[in-house]
Structure formats: structure tokens, C-alpha cells
């Protein structure tokens, strides 16, 4: 049996041979750049894809890898890196841009390689932005947090590194051997099966030469020290007459709240990333996004994006099931029985009678799930990425990410990578597609301009929603604005927002909003990077931020492996019998206070009856330290304080942060002891948080 021969595109300085074909030009970048899922690596298999012989072939390169230039911003590392200091490591460069679905698709491959070669491999993300908004270091930091990236990332905003390496598409992956020489590169998805045997070969070869450095690489993660937010990067929101359904995307769950009060009434999903059906507390999701609810309010459908699945929640019984998808990413076009058919990053769903439309962002199509037959299949788009309007099956789409059904049956969609709002005659056999707002000239024709039809400019919109009066609202995500589109005239107008940030009132600010829902005179906004749900009164033009109440009741308890708080064990203390005081001394960051609307509290758990204390005490709006009376009884035991402190900046009272704390103190009650026990903890935020 002869081994599989893996050929990767060789690199010379300034030239990546055989990468992707020339396409449009991203703003500020060199020419010939494109997003691509098609690999340029060739895999030639003998004897039915036999396992590669990684010991018989050397992949060591002979061309020295060029160094990173000075003056670039680095993330997930304490200081800028150089390839010279990484000698002895296999280095993998990942050229990416954060709105590109193909770049998202290779993250699991990179994580798998990082886990398997934790001591030998260093992955470095080279972020060369397609969109202007993506070139800002702070925005890249947010996406690192959202995707959970744990490797260093350099902001190549001027395409200096890109040009040096001759990259031509997103994603492009390049491998450097432990001697600092170029091995080769590849554009497209499917990174793990190609690069794993090559990395294995390099590790074996350089280990035998004594040139492999297995010293662990220490990253300085952007998430270290960051506070826990009540919601984490909520992607979409859905409003009904009484309830609000929130895709709490980075907490991998669906939160249900009372629209009028903000009281959380249910949560679906354990909060642990995974794919598991079952009851509300044990089911698992992975980065859920868009939702649709049946007219009778009985079933909620969820685009479970990174599970490549569509889930259904029985809202009466609380059971979560999978109605489409297998959990595997779609690699070949097709369709078939819904639960036996692979999907590709479904980003939104929309009900139309007995059909469920699915925005299949990962394959640049819109699919339909036919409930009577149980079949899911492509409906709009050829799967080629582009901006061509044609009959449904021949049109080319570009990462559709938001859906809204018009009263006349047209399906409108946010076509994010073409920065446009388009429509499809989804109910009509042989129907066509069209563009109502944004350019139809190419994938890199974006901006921030009001106008009519294709004269308007958007930047990576992710959400659309119709109001009762027929107005189409658009989450113009990378412009951090909400815009309106008149579907009769095509006129696009900025409705709310401007410079990214957070502000309520008549001049609100948003930060990459991703989802919209309208009910009555209220527009709900999933303000993704602000970790908040915003409410716009469409009559008054006033924006408020929803404060969720009682969500801590659904958090994992202390001792649970998913508990997100701090567990603090105190030294044994002797206290005197009789009346005493428990002191909670929690230091808040400067310019922060306990939120006056959200319910902070402490619950006491007393062992062996050593004390009598109020079981639950509200801490809403208090100022620390807080003194709580206690009656000490003779004996020995423990006293535990389970605290939830919901706090906020003094100038942003509705943007809530949450800190869970569990203090446990062993207590002996005997004569000669103290009367007070103090529980102390300082909440410290990293600089700039």
C-alpha cells in the first residue's frame, strides 16, 4: 500500500502559488482577495485514501519565513511576537477576517490542532479585515471573546503581512517549521485533515534532531479578568404579545422574559456548549441565533448555528428536539430527510405556513424545511457566493443571515457579505430574487449611505424585521445603526444609532446589533457587543435598555462544573455565643454601583445549627459593606454565603454585570470568640474593561 501524497502550495516571499482565483478587492487591501471555502491544496490519494506515511517524508522548508513588522496591535498575548522567538515550535498562520463564515468554519479545526499539539504548535491569527469596521482592534477583541479564541492574533489592518505572504483569500493557512522556514500554505476550509499529518511529520522530524521546543506557550487571553455579563453576545431576539425570546448566543441558551417587566420566566439550555436534546435544563446548544414561533405559541424553532442544526422547543413541556441537521457541517450540496441531512451554519429561521425558511449562511443559500414531508432542501441560491439576481436556484447569495416575511409573501433577507437587503419570491415556483437596499455590484461595495435602492450603502447587515405598518427595519450591524427600508420605493434611511457605543434616549448608540423584532410600537434590538437587549419606542423615538430580573435563578449552582462564580474558602473562626454580625464587604470597581433594578441577593446555608440568620437577604441597590444580624449557637459547623451581585457603571445603569460568589467559613461557637464574621472580596476589572 502506497501512502497518500499531500501536496501543499509552496510559498515564496510575496507569492502564494495556487491560492484562490482573483475576485473583488477589499477596502484597503491588495487586489485579488476573496473569501473562499474551496481548498487550493491538492490531495492525491492512492489505494483509497490510505493513511499518510508521516515518518517517511520530510516537509521541512528551505525558505526563511519573513518576520512580522513592528507597530502592529497584538491581542491574546502580553507583547508582540516574532517568529525568531518561536524557533523550535511549529507555527501556523491563519489569515482571516471576522465576518467571513468560512473563517468561522475552520475554528474547530484550529482548536483541534491546538489541543493535539499543545506543546509543539503555536497558532497565530493574522486578521486582515475585509470591512472597515473589522479593522478596528477593539472590534477584533470583541470577536476574539465571542469566538473564544485562545491563540495570539495580530491586527494586520493595512495588509502588510498579507502582502508579504501573498495571501489571496480568507481563510488562508500557512505552516512554518521549527527552524523558521516556510512549509506551505492553503486557502479554504478543511484544514485539519490536510495539516495534521504534516504537523505530525514536522514534530517527529525535529524532535529526532533535538530541535523541537516543548516549552508551553503562555498566552495572555483577552477574556482574563473580564466580568461576567448577564447576557453574552446575544445574536437575535423575538417578541410576542407577552414574552421576549433572546438568543443568549455565547451562553449557548435561549432566555425567555416577560416583555413588560423583564422578569426571566424560563431558560432553555444548560449553558454548556454542545448538541443534546432533552429537557430545558439539560439540553445543549452552540451559538444559537435566529428564532421563529408557531402562530399558536406552542413551538419555538431555533437556528442552532454552530451545531449546524435547527432545534424545536416545546414551550409547554420544555423539551428540546432536533428537527433538521445532524450536527455535522454540510460539505456536499443536496437535501433530503431533515434529521439525516447536514446543514451549514443556519443563522436565522422564518415560518411560512407549513414551511420553515432557513438562512443557510454557511453555504450562501436559503433552504426550506417542509413539515408535511419532513424534507429539507435548498430553495434560493446556487451555493456560489455572489450578488447575481436570477431565478431562485440560479441566484448567488453572500451569507444570508436574517429573514423577514412580508405580508405579500416575499421573503426579505439580510445578505451580510454583500452588504445588501435582498428579496426572494419564495412562494412562487420559478420566482426570482432582487435587491432593495445596498449595492448589487459585488462583495466589496459597502459603506454607510442613505439612498434609494442600490444607491444606498450598508456594512454587513445581519437582521431584518417588518413593523405592522410595513416598514422594514434593518440591523446595519457594522455601522452600528438601525435603518429603515421602504419596500415600495426602496428608500433607505438611518433611523437610530451612529458612532458605536452605548447610550439610551433620543440619540442612542449601539455596538454591532445583530437581530431585530417588532411587536406593536416597540422595536427590540439584540445589541450584540453591548450584551444587551434594547427597546425603541417607535412613536416617541426613545431607546431604553431592558433590565432582566431573576436570571440568576437559572445559573448553575456553586459546586457545579459550570458555575461561573468564585468559590472562596475562609479560615476557621471562633465566635462568641449570642448576637453577632455577618459583614459583607464587597469592593466594586471605581465608578460602579449595585444595580437598583436587578435583584442582587445573598442566601445563607448554615451547618449544624451553629447560627440563626435570615435565609435570603436582598442586596438590590445596597452600598457595601452590608451588616446582617446573626444569632450564634454553641457548637461547630460551617456557614456559607451564596451571593449574586448585579452591578453597573454609574453612567450606564442598565448595562448589567453579574458576579457570583460563594463564601464558606468553618465556625466554632465558644466563649472568648469574636462577635462578627466578615466576608471580603474585591471585584477588579482589567484596564479598559
Amino acid at each position: 500500500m502506497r501512502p497518500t501524497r499531500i501536496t501543499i502550495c509552496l510559498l515564496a516571499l510575496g507569492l502564494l502559488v495556487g491560492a484562490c482565483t482573483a475576485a473583488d478587492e477589499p477596502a484597503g487591501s491588495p487586489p485579488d482577495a476573496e473569501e473562499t471555502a474551496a481548498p487550493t491544496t491538492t490531495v492525491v490519494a492512492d489505494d483509497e485514501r490510505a493513511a499518510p506515511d508521516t515518518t517517511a517524508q520530510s516537509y521541512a522548508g528551505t525558505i526563511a519565513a519573513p518576520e512580522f513588522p513592528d507597530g502592529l496591535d497584538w491581542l491574546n498575548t502580553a507583547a508582540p511576537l516574532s517568529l525568531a522567538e518561536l524557533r523550535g515550535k511549529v507555527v501556523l498562520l491563519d489569515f482571516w477576517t471576522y465576518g467571513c463564515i468560512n473563517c468561522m468554519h475552520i475554528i474547530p479545526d484550529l482548536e483541534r490542532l491546538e489541543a493535539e499539539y499543545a506543546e509543539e504548535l503555536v497558532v497565530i491569527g493574522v486578521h486582515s479585515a475585509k470591512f472597515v469596521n473589522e479593522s478596528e482592534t477593539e472590534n477584533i477583541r470583541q470577536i476574539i471573546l465571542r469566538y473564544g479564541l485562545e491563540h495570539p492574533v495580530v491586527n494586520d489592518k493595512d495588509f502588510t503581512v498579507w502582502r508579504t505572504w501573498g495571501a489571496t483569500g480568507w481563510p488562508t493557512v500557512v505552516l512554518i517549521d521549527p527552524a523558521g522556514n516556510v512549509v506551505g500554505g492553503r486557502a479554504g476550509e478543511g484544514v485539519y485533515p490536510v495539516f495534521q499529518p504534516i504537523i505530525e511529520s514536522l514534530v517527529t522530524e525535529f524532535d529526532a534532531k533535538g530541535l523541537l521546543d516543548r516549552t508551553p506557550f503562555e498566552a495572555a487571553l483577552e477574556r482574563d479578568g473580564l466580568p461576567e455579563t448577564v447576557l453574552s453576545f446575544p445574536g437575535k431576539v423575538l417578541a410576542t404579545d407577552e414574552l421576549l425570546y433572546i438568543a443568549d448566543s455565547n451562553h449557548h441558551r435561549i432566555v425567555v422574559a416577560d416583555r413588560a417587566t423583564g422578569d426571566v420566566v424560563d431558560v432553555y439550555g444548560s449553558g454548556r456548549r454542545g448538541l443534546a436534546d432533552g429537557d430545558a435544563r439539560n439540553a445543549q446548544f452552540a451559538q444559537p441565533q435566529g428564532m421563529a414561533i408557531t402562530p399558536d405559541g406552542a413551538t419555538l424553532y431555533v437556528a442552532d448555528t454552530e451545531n449546524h442544526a435547527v432545534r424545536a422547543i416545546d414551550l409547554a413541556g420544555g423539551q428540546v428536539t432536533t428537527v433538521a441537521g445532524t450536527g455535522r457541517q454540510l460539505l456536499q450540496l443536496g437535501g433530503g430527510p431533515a434529521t439525516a441531512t447536514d446543514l451549514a451554519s443556519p443563522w436565522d429561521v422564518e415560518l411560512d405556513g407549513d414551511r420553515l425558511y432557513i438562512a443557510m449562511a454557511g453555504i450562501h443559500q436559503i433552504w426550506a424545511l417542509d413539515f408535511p414531508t419532513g424534507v429539507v432542501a435548498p430553495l434560493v441560491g446556487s451555493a456560489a457566493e455572489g450578488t447575481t439576481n436570477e431565478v431562485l436556484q440560479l441566484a448567488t447569495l453572500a451569507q444570508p443571515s436574517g429573514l423577514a416575511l412580508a405580508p405579500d409573501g416575499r421573503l426579505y433577507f439580510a445578505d451580510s457579505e454583500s452588504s445588501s437587503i435582498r428579496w426572494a419570491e419564495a412562494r412562487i415556483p420559478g420566482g426570482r430574487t432582487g435587491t432593495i437596499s445596498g449595492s448589487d455590484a459585488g462583495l466589496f461595495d459597502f459603506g454607510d449611505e442613505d439612498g434609494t435602492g442600490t444607491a444606498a450603502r450598508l456594512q454587513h447587515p445581519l437582521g431584518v424585521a417588518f413593523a405592522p405598518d410595513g416598514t422594514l427595519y434593518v440591523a446595519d450591524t457594522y455601522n452600528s445603526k438601525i435603518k429603515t427600508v421602504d419596500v415600495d420605493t426602496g428608500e433607505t434611511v438611518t433611523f437610530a444609532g451612529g458612532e458605536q457605543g452605548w447610550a439610551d434616549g433620543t440619540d442612542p448608540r449601539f455596538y454591532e446589533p445583530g437581530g431585530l423584532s417588532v411587536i406593536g410600537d416597540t422595536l427590540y434590538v439584540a445589541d450584540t457587543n453591548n450584551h444587551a437587549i434594547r427597546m425603541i419606542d417607535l412613536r416617541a423615538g426613545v431607546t431604553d435598555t431592558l433590565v432582566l430580573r431573576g436570571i440568576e435563578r437559572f445559573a448553575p449552582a456553586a459546586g457545579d462544573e459550570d458555575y461561573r462564580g468564585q468559590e472562596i474558602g475562609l479560615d476557621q473562626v471562633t465566635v462568641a455565643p449570642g448576637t453577632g454580625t455577618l459583614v459583607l464587604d464587597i469592593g466594586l470597581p471605581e465608578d460602579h454601583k449595585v444595580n437598583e433594578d436587578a435583584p442582587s441577593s445573598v442566601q445563607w446555608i448554615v451547618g449544624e445549627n451553629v447560627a440563626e440568620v435570615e435565609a435570603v437577604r436582598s442586596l438590590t441597590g445596597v452600598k457595601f459593606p452590608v451588616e446582617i444580624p446573626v444569632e450564634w449557637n454553641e457548637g461547630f459547623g460551617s456557614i456559607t454565603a451564596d451571593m449574586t451581585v448585579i452591578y453597573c457603571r454609574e453612567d450606564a445603569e442598565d448595562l448589567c454585570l453579574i458576579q457570583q460568589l460563594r463564601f464558606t467559613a468553618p465556625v466554632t461557637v465558644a466563649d472568648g470568640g469574636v462577635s462578627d464574621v466578615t466576608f471580603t472580596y474585591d471585584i477588579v476589572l482589567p484596564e479598559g474593561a
Side-chain angles (χ1 to χ4, degrees), residues 287-345:
Q287 290 281 342
Q289 291 283 338
M291 298 160 289
I293 194 166
T294 53
D296 61 3
T299 304
L300 183 76
Y301 294 102
V302 180
D304 195 7
T305 303
E306 293 195 3
N307 275 327
H308 308 292
V310 176
R311 317 293 293 282
I313 302 175
D314 178 348
L315 295 174
Q319 290 293 307
V320 178
T321 57
T322 301
V323 295
T326 63
R328 298 183 300 268
Q329 181 189 336
L330 175 72
L331 298 178
Q332 294 183 347
L333 295 180
T339 56
T341 300
D342 297 343
L343 307 182
S345 299

Side-chain angles (χ1 to χ4, degrees), residues 250-253 268-273 281 283-284 562 564:
N250 260 48
H251 285 149
H252 312 295
R253 62 185 182 179
Y268 297 94
S270 68
R272 185 189 303 176
R273 180 193 183 100
R281 302 297 172 266
Q284 294 177 332
D562 296 318
R564 298 190 182 100

Side-chain angles (χ1 to χ4, degrees), residues 301 310 323-324 336-339 351 354-358 367-377:
Y301 294 102
V310 176
V323 295
T339 56
L351 267 172
D354 56 10
R355 287 205 296 184
L356 182 73
Y357 299 122
I358 306 169
W367 286 33
L369 169 57
D370 184 75
F371 287 112
T373 65
V375 170
V376 64

Side-chain angles (χ1 to χ4, degrees), residues 84-308:
E85 69 185 275
L86 295 174
R87 293 289 189 271
K89 299 286 189 185
V90 180
V91 178
L92 186 150
L93 302 183
D94 169 31
F95 289 86
W96 65 298
T97 186
Y98 74 69
C100 162
I101 195 69
N102 310 121
C103 300
M104 299 178 205
H105 284 166
I106 74 166
I107 291 174
D109 280 5
L110 298 178
E111 291 175 342
R112 186 176 176 186
L113 290 171
E114 288 176 291
E116 291 183 14
Y117 298 96
E119 297 178 340
E120 300 91 355
L121 175 68
V122 175
V123 174
I124 297 177
V126 181
H127 191 275
S128 306
K130 170 183 175 179
F131 291 98
V132 173
N133 185 73
E134 293 176 337
S135 68
E136 297 296 326
T137 298
E138 181 55 37
N139 296 343
I140 300 171
R141 178 179 288 107
Q142 295 302 315
I143 216 70
I144 286 172
L145 296 172
R146 194 187 311 184
Y147 293 166
L149 301 183
E150 296 187 351
H151 54 254
V153 174
V154 60
N155 183 4
D156 183 34
K157 65 179 181 179
D158 295 321
F159 288 82
T160 306
V161 184
W162 174 285
R163 288 186 176 91
T164 298
W165 286 92
T168 58
W170 300 282
T172 291
V173 175
V174 177
L175 202 61
I176 301 166
D177 70 23
N181 294 320
V182 177
V183 175
R186 179 185 194 269
E189 297 183 26
V191 167
Y192 180 86
V194 172
F195 281 88
Q196 189 276 335
I198 302 171
I199 293 171
E200 181 66 26
S201 177
L202 290 170
V203 168
T204 300
E205 178 177 350
F206 281 85
D207 197 23
K209 296 176 181 178
L211 299 176
L212 194 66
D213 179 7
R214 284 195 165 92
T215 305
F217 175 81
E218 297 293 337
L221 301 182
E222 298 302 317
R223 69 166 181 256
D224 288 347
L226 285 180
E228 183 73 25
T229 50
V230 173
L231 300 175
S232 182
F233 296 102
K236 301 285 186 183
V237 62
L238 175 65
T240 65
D241 287 341
E242 296 181 355
L243 297 175
L244 200 63
Y245 297 88
I246 302 165
D248 190 9
S249 302
N250 260 48
H251 285 149
H252 312 295
R253 62 185 182 179
I254 304 299
V255 174
V256 188
D258 185 292
R259 277 207 312 120
T261 65
D263 292 331
V264 175
V265 298
D266 223 330
V267 170
Y268 297 94
S270 68
R272 185 189 303 176
R273 180 193 183 100
L275 176 56
D277 289 342
D279 62 80
R281 302 297 172 266
N282 293 309
Q284 294 177 332
F285 299 87
Q287 290 281 342
Q289 291 283 338
M291 298 160 289
I293 194 166
T294 53
D296 61 3
T299 304
L300 183 76
Y301 294 102
V302 180
D304 195 7
T305 303
E306 293 195 3
N307 275 327
H308 308 292

